[in-house]
Amino acid sequence: MSQKLTYQELEKRIEQLEEERHSWLVSEEALLQGEERYRMIFNHSPLGIVHFDQEGIILDCNHHFLEIMGASRENVLGFNMVTSGGNRAMRSAVQAALDGELGTYEGEYRSVTGDKNTQLRAIYNALSSEEGKFLGAVALFEDISETRQAEEALKKSEQRYRTLVETMNEGLLIRNEKDRITYVNEKLCQILGYSSDEILDHPASDFLDKDNQGILREQWIKRREGGNDPYEMAWTAKDGREIPTIVSPRPVFDGDGAFRGSFGVITDITSRKQAEEALTRQAEELERSNAELQQFAYVASHDMQEPLRMIASYVQLLSRRYQGKLDQDADEFIAYAVDGAKRMQTMINDLLAYSRVGRVGGEMQSTDCERILDWAVENLGAAIEENQATITHESLPSLVASGGLLGLLFQNLIGNAIKFRGEDPPLIHISAKLEGDEWLFTVRDNGIGFDLQYTDRIFIIFQRLHGMGEYPGTGIGLAICKKIVEYHGGKIWVASELGKGTTFSFTIPVTQGNQ
């Protein structure tokens, strides 16, 4: 029996149907939008995504999964991951997901096409509908090849770093911002005699005496301000020894500029300090020995003057009284004795002059070198006139020196040039020029010159290049020159060629005191 609807009821029913239709259309649109969002996420995910059915067969996958696997969609869809996919561990992870458990895999996977090895991380989960119906499984794949390569490179770099640090010849110490030691290498443990466990987490001050703790505090303040200048500090070893070191520090700041501590390279300088102390002792001993030798030479030469003068006087008296009254041999013997006594007097006087260099008249003061040169030339007036020597010079400086010793230096060098003259009259030229922080003087002559193989001998006391009868002198003049130059902190050397003259060069520092 049909039921009749009134107009009003029909109109209401139509309105209900319109509302249901609109609601269905909205739901369908929302479903389409949700599907579109899902597909967008699925296709553009940075992870590979795979959907398996209940048997482990791939139903769908995104593009990134294909890139990871190095395969085409045709080769992947329909592929059974349980029976033939990947390796045993990967198949087990897929089966665990199909059994309702969480499946994970991390390791190497060879691509379906066999031309690509990939380091993978995969997570497999069971997939169910809202009603609880089992739909298979879904997996997320991540290519971690670059990560593994970076980790391996980092591991190798770390290994190289540790090998370098642990085998370096210096100690290494790292402190945090609270001045607690966070790292030491094996070398520092050897230097201090402690194990790393005995050092770590201690303040560095635990291994220093009171004085060096003060040094450390000052340097710690400088580190906080960014200072990194090396400094010396002595550590106290486990056996109580003081270990002198040079610390080369580097402050550490984070990205915000906050101080995070410092690390320091610590060099044991015990051997260097011992060498310096030994050298200092040797220098002091040498200075004492030189002083004693100079004093001995002075006393010996001074005290020998009187007995030698007496011998010379009596020998000369014998010569005057008995010359021609005895036989020829007696006259010759007396002549030898007189000559020997005179030469001995000359040698003693020269030795006395050598021993007095730096001890007498060595006071440093402003000295006009041209005035000093004039004094030396005046002293050599007779020799200059006799040999018709010509002395010329360029502009000479004023400098801080001993005027008396500098005059003796000029006198000996010029006298030496006159003594060893050639066939032509002596031409002697003196010059000076400023080179850096010292004056370079040259004394050039046109004399006989000498073979340079004898250079090392000419500045040695009593060493002569010529026989006693050829040229007068004791061989001490150039030794005195060398001593005077070195007393002023300079150096002296010579250039010469046989038959073509000689040039003596010496330096005097611009500013210096007694050496």
Side-chain angles (χ1 to χ4, degrees):
M1 182 176 178
S2 62
Q3 185 178 1
K4 294 182 178 180
L5 297 175
T6 64
Y7 175 79
Q8 289 80 6
E9 289 174 338
L10 180 60
E11 188 178 50
K12 186 175 181 179
R13 181 59 178 164
I14 291 173
E15 289 178 355
Q16 289 176 347
L17 289 174
E18 285 292 336
E19 289 176 359
E20 290 176 1
R21 177 176 176 277
H22 179 72
S23 177
W24 179 82
L25 290 173
V26 171
S27 297
E28 184 180 24
E29 184 178 356
L31 182 61
L32 290 173
Q33 290 177 351
E35 175 70 17
E36 185 178 354
R37 284 196 298 270
Y38 157 75
R39 184 55 57 183
M40 184 179 295
I41 294 171
F42 184 81
N43 288 328
H44 294 86
S45 171
L47 301 176
I49 303 176
V50 181
H51 180 200
F52 306 97
D53 67 6
Q54 296 89 337
E55 302 300 325
I57 297 173
I58 297 177
L59 300 176
D60 197 6
C61 67
N62 66 355
H63 181 68
H64 194 62
F65 176 76
L66 298 176
E67 289 182 345
I68 292 174
M69 291 301 176
S72 65
R73 181 175 294 274
E74 290 76 15
N75 288 332
V76 169
L77 296 183
F79 190 80
N80 193 314
M81 289 291 292
V82 174
T83 59
S84 56
N87 51 42
R88 180 178 296 179
M90 183 177 285
R91 294 196 297 271
S92 298
V94 175
Q95 187 61 58
L98 295 176
D99 292 338
E101 301 175 0
L102 180 67
T104 60
Y105 172 78
E106 184 170 319
E108 187 175 80
Y109 174 74
R110 189 167 184 80
S111 67
V112 176
T113 57
D115 61 356
K116 182 179 180 182
N117 285 344
T118 304
Q119 290 288 331
L120 287 179
R121 179 186 292 120
I123 300 176
Y124 302 87
N125 275 298
L127 186 63
S128 302
S129 67
E130 292 182 358
E131 294 78 15
K133 182 181 179 181
F134 180 60
L135 301 177
V138 66
L140 301 178
F141 286 80
E142 180 183 8
D143 184 349
I144 58 172
S145 300
E146 292 185 1
T147 303
R148 286 289 176 264
Q149 290 172 1
E151 289 175 351
E152 185 65 24
L154 183 62
K155 184 178 179 181
K156 291 180 179 179
S157 176
E158 174 74 8
Q159 184 62 40
R160 286 194 299 268
Y161 155 76
R162 288 199 170 273
T163 301
L164 174 64
V165 167
E166 293 301 331
T167 58
M168 64 188 299
N169 204 34
E170 285 80 24
L172 183 66
L173 176 145
I174 299 177
R175 295 185 287 165
N176 62 21
E177 68 274 14
K178 297 179 181 179
D179 191 24
R180 292 282 173 173
I181 298 173
T182 59
Y183 177 80
V184 290
N185 68 346
E186 180 61 27
K187 182 62 178 182
L188 186 59
C189 293
Q190 294 174 4
I191 291 173
L192 299 182
Y194 289 97
S195 68
S196 60
D197 291 338
E198 292 174 309
I199 297 176
L200 295 179
D201 203 36
H202 284 267
S205 56
D206 283 0
F207 307 96
L208 303 169
D209 62 20
K210 187 174 180 180
D211 292 338
N212 286 282
Q213 287 175 5
I215 295 174
L216 183 66
R217 283 193 297 270
E218 293 177 3
Q219 294 298 328
W220 189 245
I221 293 172
K222 293 180 179 180
R223 295 300 81 72
R224 288 182 172 276
E225 296 173 350
N228 59 4
D229 293 331
Y231 60 94
E232 287 193 21
M233 188 171 69
W235 299 77
T236 302
K238 190 173 184 178
D239 59 9
R241 290 180 299 115
E242 291 293 312
I243 309 296
T245 66
I246 290 181
V247 181
S248 301
R250 287 294 183 274
V252 178
F253 298 92
D254 62 19
D256 297 326
F259 180 69
R260 293 302 180 190
S262 72
F263 72 88
V265 177
I266 299 170
T267 305
D268 184 352
I269 57 172
T270 300
S271 298
R272 194 187 81 181
K273 286 292 185 182
Q274 291 173 346
E276 289 176 353
E277 291 173 1
L279 189 61
T280 299
R281 289 194 299 270
Q282 290 176 357
E284 292 173 351
E285 178 64 22
L286 183 61
E287 185 177 356
R288 183 191 63 79
S289 177
N290 284 341
E292 289 179 352
L293 286 173
Q294 286 189 1
Q295 183 66 19
F296 170 77
Y298 176 77
V299 171
S301 57
H302 183 273
D303 291 350
M304 288 172 66
Q305 292 276 12
E306 184 57 34
L308 185 58
R309 188 180 299 113
M310 182 182 298
I311 293 173
S313 297
Y314 278 106
V315 170
Q316 290 170 352
L317 181 61
L318 285 173
S319 176
R320 289 194 299 270
R321 179 170 298 183
Y322 297 105
Q323 182 75 33
K325 296 181 180 179
L326 302 174
D327 59 19
Q328 185 176 354
D329 287 343
D331 290 342
E332 186 176 345
F333 295 157
I334 292 174
Y336 285 154
V338 171
D339 181 64
K342 288 180 178 179
R343 283 193 289 109
M344 181 62 73
Q345 278 185 317
T346 302
M347 291 181 66
I348 290 176
N349 286 331
D350 287 347
L351 181 61
L352 183 61
Y354 183 81
S355 68
R356 289 165 63 92
V357 173
R359 297 177 64 251
V360 179
E363 298 79 8
M364 298 290 181
Q365 57 188 356
S366 180
T367 302
D368 182 350
C369 291
E370 292 195 6
R371 184 179 61 82
I372 295 299
L373 177 61
D374 290 341
W375 175 85
V377 170
E378 184 177 347
N379 286 349
L380 294 168
I384 292 172
E385 183 177 354
E386 180 181 345
N387 291 275
Q388 298 180 335
T390 300
I391 314 295
T392 60
H393 67 87
E394 298 175 12
S395 177
L396 301 181
S398 292
L399 46 74
V400 176
S402 166
L405 293 180
L406 207 57
L408 184 58
L409 173 62
F410 282 132
Q411 181 175 314
N412 280 349
L413 292 177
I414 295 172
N416 199 71
I418 294 174
K419 181 192 301 184
F420 298 102
R421 57 169 294 180
E423 294 181 359
D424 297 327
L427 297 176
I428 304 164
H429 183 73
I430 299 97
S431 64
K433 63 178 179 178
L434 185 63
E435 290 192 349
D437 58 354
E438 59 187 12
W439 283 97
L440 172 63
F441 291 82
T442 58
V443 179
R444 186 175 67 251
D445 65 53
N446 63 339
I448 61 174
F450 64 92
D451 193 327
L452 284 179
Q453 65 175 312
Y454 302 113
T455 299
D456 293 338
R457 290 180 54 189
I458 65 173
F459 293 111
I460 300 176
I461 190 170
F462 296 136
Q463 291 290 317
R464 295 172 53 89
L465 302 186
H466 305 280
M468 189 66 66
E470 295 182 70
Y471 296 95
T474 59
I476 203 171
L478 291 178
I480 290 177
C481 291
K482 182 174 184 290
K483 191 172 183 182
I484 291 173
V485 171
E486 290 178 348
Y487 174 76
H488 285 84
K491 296 179 180 179
I492 186 170
W493 64 96
V494 62
S496 185
E497 186 175 352
L498 199 61
K500 295 186 178 181
T502 300
T503 299
F504 283 93
S505 303
F506 63 91
T507 59
I508 302 291
V510 172
T511 303
Q512 41 80 57
N514 290 7
Q515 303 298 313

